[in-house]
Amino acid sequence: MKALVYDGPNSLAYRDEPNPSPEADDLIVRVHAVGICGSDMHAYHGHDNRRPAPLILGHEAAGTIEGGPRHGERVTINPLVVDPVCPYAMEGRWHLSPTRQILSMPPRQGAFAEYVRIPPRNLVRIPDHLPFEQAALAEPIAVSWHAARIGSGKLHQPLAACRVVVIGGGAIGLTSAIVARLFGAGDIAIGETNPLRRETLRRTEGFEAYAPGENDPKENSVDLVIDAVGAVGTRIAASRMIRPGGVIVHLGLLPGLEGLDIRKLTLQEVTVSGSYCYTPHDFEHTVEALARRRLGRLQWFEERPLSEGARAFHDIDAGATPAAKIVLRV
């Protein structure tokens, strides 16, 4: 099969690789579309020791089942593979299980390839009218669904009465705003440093988009902050803008411990919650919302062929694309 292989820091090769073989009860999925995630970029830069080269990256995928009684079934992939009898799985919190594996981390190769191996419980059927390129967005949107659900559940008033700010206008930040809007929020702003992306946020979904450091929300003015970057600077900004009794959802995965104003969080009883991945229910609800076209116009991503994947990584690095997401057609 053809695959886009991570060979080392800042190096990707499009080449022939062995086809995956089913193991245990796993199925083979013929990949039709796969998105580039921020974690793929992190690995590409050599900053993720969980993803050693050589490795096939990619986990935001959709395609068709290859072989067996479900041959040809159109599916999107939940890439979190968990032992179903793990106590966390039995509680419904699969994403916290210590047995968790994910596509694109050993021992599982990723989905920047023509074929990928995955357990059947990780496959969610999609309707014929849902394009594979949109179905591949289910995984990142499920991350946002989980974060927005956590944040809205911790507020002391209806989301419709709240000022919501999302820090970061990439795919996770943008879709966090989209999901918050679906949940009832009306007053939403997104902070994004890239002017091309700010224009995409305004043009495709009509969101208020501001340049951090220039037009920041006022101090103590925001009810819910979703930090989709997770850097020291964004934690400082979240601490500043959150109002007394508000909620900060920390969604970004950049390293570092500094930034949160612990004294303010204590004196003003601000709730801070981490948010990681999603539950199976979050994923299924996301797929249903995609199928019912409840998540906006979905005009904020760009499609390219897998064979041009290395160039796509380069353009993301350079900030040369206005798209919040690049989806690779396989």
Side-chain angles (χ1 to χ4, degrees):
M1 68 176 181
K2 291 293 186 181
L4 186 67
V5 183
Y6 165 60
D7 275 331
N10 305 308
S11 177
L12 293 165
Y14 182 66
R15 67 183 185 223
D16 290 318
E17 287 287 310
N19 284 14
S21 300
E23 296 181 15
D25 296 326
D26 286 0
L27 297 177
I28 301 298
V29 172
R30 169 71 170 90
V31 179
H32 290 273
V34 55
I36 299 176
C37 176
S39 64
D40 295 317
M41 298 299 301
H42 196 61
Y44 167 70
H45 292 138
H47 296 158
D48 190 346
N49 57 17
R50 302 172 302 170
R51 292 177 164 97
L55 183 69
I56 301 173
L57 299 173
H59 59 270
E60 304 174 356
T64 53
I65 296 174
E66 190 83 1
R70 296 175 65 183
H71 177 74
E73 184 177 318
R74 304 175 84 252
V75 294
T76 190
I77 296 174
N78 179 339
L80 297 181
V81 180
V82 176
D83 181 350
V85 299
C86 164
Y88 282 98
M90 295 175 73
E91 293 171 4
R93 299 189 295 169
W94 293 60
H95 58 303
L96 301 182
S97 170
T99 72
R100 182 184 64 244
Q101 298 176 352
I102 188 169
L103 293 185
S104 78
M105 285 187 192
R108 292 187 176 273
Q109 295 284 347
F112 289 154
E114 291 183 289
Y115 299 98
V116 70
R117 177 175 62 87
I118 193 77
R121 63 180 175 273
N122 287 73
L123 300 177
V124 179
R125 188 167 186 169
I126 59 174
D128 291 343
H129 71 261
L130 183 63
F132 290 114
E133 292 78 13
Q134 294 183 11
L137 302 175
E139 199 277 342
I141 298 177
V143 172
S144 302
W145 190 287
H146 186 67
R149 179 173 63 80
I150 286 175
S152 61
K154 295 181 182 299
L155 290 166
H156 293 281
Q157 69 269 26
L159 192 57
C162 292
R163 171 69 165 166
V164 178
V165 169
V166 178
I167 304 177
I172 298 299
L174 169 56
T175 56
S176 292
I178 290 172
V179 174
R181 183 172 62 190
L182 177 65
F183 287 178
D187 186 356
I188 304 171
I190 304 175
E192 170 55 44
T193 57
N194 186 326
L196 295 177
R197 280 188 173 176
R198 287 200 299 273
E199 179 57 30
T200 296
L201 299 172
R202 299 183 185 109
R203 176 177 51 80
T204 64
E205 294 294 338
F207 285 121
E208 174 190 343
Y210 69 92
E214 297 179 14
N215 302 299
D216 293 324
K218 293 181 180 179
E219 187 174 0
N220 300 325
S221 67
V222 179
D223 300 282
L224 171 61
V225 177
I226 298 177
D227 183 355
V229 178
V232 173
T234 59
R235 289 191 285 268
I236 291 172
S239 295
R240 180 182 177 279
M241 70 179 72
I242 196 68
R243 72 165 182 83
V247 176
I248 298 172
V249 177
H250 195 274
L251 184 57
L253 285 174
L254 292 179
L257 304 175
E258 303 84 3
L260 287 176
D261 184 344
I262 299 301
R263 181 174 174 81
K264 176 178 179 177
L265 303 186
T266 302
L267 292 175
Q268 298 187 1
E269 292 193 358
V270 172
T271 299
V272 179
S273 177
S275 179
Y276 178 67
C277 286
Y278 37 78
T279 68
H281 286 308
D282 292 323
F283 195 92
E284 291 162 5
H285 290 319
T286 299
V287 175
E288 180 185 11
L290 280 168
R292 294 174 61 186
R293 298 188 174 94
R294 301 183 65 205
L295 293 169
R297 299 190 295 171
L298 301 179
Q299 294 181 348
W300 40 266
F301 71 95
E302 178 184 345
E303 299 176 29
R304 301 191 189 185
L306 181 65
S307 60
E308 297 178 12
R311 180 66 188 182
F313 272 71
H314 177 272
D315 287 350
I316 293 171
D317 248 356
T321 173
K325 168 76 63 180
I326 293 179
V327 174
L328 302 175
R329 298 186 305 271
V330 183

